[in-house]
Amino acid sequence: MPDGKLSEIVRRVWGYDALRPFQSSAMECIMAGRDSLVVLPTGGGKSLCYQAPALARDGMAVVVSPLISLMKDQVDSLRAVGAGAACINSSLTARERRETHEAIQSGAVKLLYVAPERAVKPDFIAYLKKRPISFIAIDEAHCISQWGHDFRPEYRALESLREAFPEVAFHAYTATATPHVRQDICAALKLRDPEIMVASADRPNLIYAAERRTNELAQVMEVVERRRGESGVIYCITRKKVEELAAALTDRGHKALPYHAGMSPEERQRNQEAFSREGAELIVATVAFGMGIDKPDVRYVIHTGMPKTIEHYQQESGRAGRDGLEAECLLLYSGSDFNLWNFLLKDLDSEAMRIAQAKLHDMYNYCTAVACRHRVLMEYFGEKIDKPNCGACDLCLGNADLVKDALVVAQKILSCAARLGPVAGPSYTTLILQGAREHRVVEKGHDQLSTFGILAEHDGRTIRNWIEQLASQGYLEKTGEYNILQVTARGRQVLRGEETPRLLAPAETARAPRRASAAAAKSWDGVDKKLFERLRALRREIAQENGGPAFAVFGDAALRDMARKKPKNEVEFLQVSGVGERKCADYAARFLPVIREFAGAGAGRAPKSKQGRGGRIQAEAFRLFAAGCDLDETADHLMVTARRAAKYLREYIEEKGLTDPTPWMDPGLADDISIAADELGFAARDDILERLGGAAPGELVDVVIACMKNEEKPGAPVEKR
Ligand code: ADP
Ligand code: ZN
């Protein structure tokens, strides 16, 4: 942790006990007022980098963010942990606008989110100028670059914000790492001697897999069933496909909603919200679904068709596991996807087409490569991965079934290609290997080749796939418009038996049970899965009550840690990673009883306490009151708010029938309250508070009234505390 104050804030407010790599140094830059650019992949934890320092520093931080939906999510999450955050955008009503302004005036807003259009308006700049601005953070900073995947012209104008605030430090954040984009960001924002921090773009928590599409619905169902109840996104290329698949999944008992550009904005909004509140587990979508969604606990992303570039795939699959927990990305592909995209490229001019085709080939190679998926992806982006086994892809995990005698099979294919000479493409070569006595084969005399029919026991599709796999591993080369096959130098090594390629077994063979990644095993280590499910249901219930996203209640990481630690009281609840003070105060009473009930189930559980929820902490509070601890001491001991301690005291007084509150509170104040209550009546709580003019909180009024009520009870037991 960079400094005591920050670590204290991160622990108290967010309930995290450690910072992730890069977060410390990124935070230090803000504390030191040095311009910075932080490149951290999705899920790396960029937000905390500026949110925690914003709370630690005097004044208000301004955060420029590109989309209203993203802003709202961030502000919701910040408010849920009790941090003062607000956003100003066109969706606010006049009243909300006024309230926001007042909160800013009072200094309660530590983070103000704005869209770039607004941030550069002269009257808004003038407004900011009158306030103490701690620093300016530019989120999704790649939007400033035409080289990024998401260029937004409004971001360009941010230069004027920089000019308006020469004395304020600027901090830019993005997940897009290319050097070109990086340079653009620094130049466009006129960052001064910025500290540039670039983390690996790899997302080790994502488990990548690619399978040839053989039975789409069955392949999709395998994942959906295995991850029943978890949040997933399924991408389809066409709207029709979206509708069909959503219907098929719904038929099979899954809550799947469609999302595509052909639906009305209201419908889309409704489905997106249902997904984020976990009223639906699945969204089946075209790529129109994306930027607006920030759901951190998407546990899987399935592509039912191949995207046209690796950049697209990286971005879409990257929506899984934003919370850093393990998540799964399955890509179903087929050669027809390649042909379709290739066909669609025909309209481009020749240079653009050349680039697009190269990208398409790279994408297809990713699919057919029989090599670590993380490595292939990172190499594409110019980064080396040294790990021999990533432990998080189908190939490294051994989840892809490999052909056992791959050397022999490969030798048969390569020698056939060599015999044929550079005259045949993959399809024709497949015919020969299969031993198909087609007219053109016989005519050319190829049925006389020694390699004719040497793979006759396999079907054409399987052979064809093997050819693709050999090509993507560099043993065969496809040349010219007709993809004429030629054996490469490496291919000849295989023929000599010096190297063994990897070939995937035909998809139809029964597959071995899937192995989970190490990340998955670790994040589930010690977690009671049944309890976790129960807590997720509770979270869903609360999200629906609050009308907000589920992740604003708790993330999956926090729920798993709860289901691991099984906290019994608020002190233990606060030990859960992701439970800060505010969430403890808001939700301990909802979660603890469920956890306790679960832990106690079958273990000769005591009957439920009369007061209902809050049972065990309440019992501890009662013990402390009986031992003479006052309200503050009790609150400190239990690590609960003074307000909650007062609530327990009222319950204690009610249960014991006590009539004197003074052992636990200031006698003068108790007198004032009881005089007001006498005059105005017990029911007139608000009037009593009004009369006291802010001298006492409502909870203490309740405590005193509880005593007075006991006094009025005929024959009330007078018990010593
Ligand atoms: P990014 O913006 O880089 O995609 P986020 O800021 O959304 O990432 O953070 C990703 C997830 O990681 C969030 O769920 C967040 O609560 C969690 N997180 C961030 N920092 C920490 C930390 N130090 N300890 C535990 N969880 C963290
Ligand atoms: Zn791997």
Side-chain angles (χ1 to χ4, degrees), residues 36-71:
S36 62
L37 167 60
V38 177
V39 183
L40 201 52
T42 306
K46 285 184 285 297
S47 331
L48 198 67
C49 293
Y50 56 83
Q51 289 172 347
L55 301 192
R57 288 191 53 155
D58 292 336
M60 177 174 81
V62 176
V63 183
V64 177
S65 174
L67 286 176
I68 292 181
S69 57
L70 292 182
M71 276 186 227

Side-chain angles (χ1 to χ4, degrees), residues 1 85 223 269 379 432 538 681:
M1 292 260 173
V223 179
Q269 171 88 9
E379 275 172 3
I432 307 302
L538 176 59

Side-chain angles (χ1 to χ4, degrees), residues 7 39 41 60 66 68 100 139 205 256 292 315 332 403 440 462 470 496 500 509 518 569 606 628 685 697:
S7 64
V39 183
M60 177 174 81
I68 292 181
T100 304
D139 206 2
N205 61 318
Q315 229 211 334
L332 301 178
V403 171
R440 53 183 167 154
T462 303
L470 290 172
R496 292 195 296 270
T500 303
T509 55
N569 51 40
R685 190 171 181 271

Side-chain angles (χ1 to χ4, degrees), residues 570-571 574 617 620-621 624 633-640 648:
E570 291 195 13
V571 183
L574 276 165
I617 318 168
E620 283 189 23
L624 293 167
E633 285 166 341
T634 305
D636 280 352
H637 268 303
L638 297 176
M639 292 179 82
V640 299
Y648 291 137

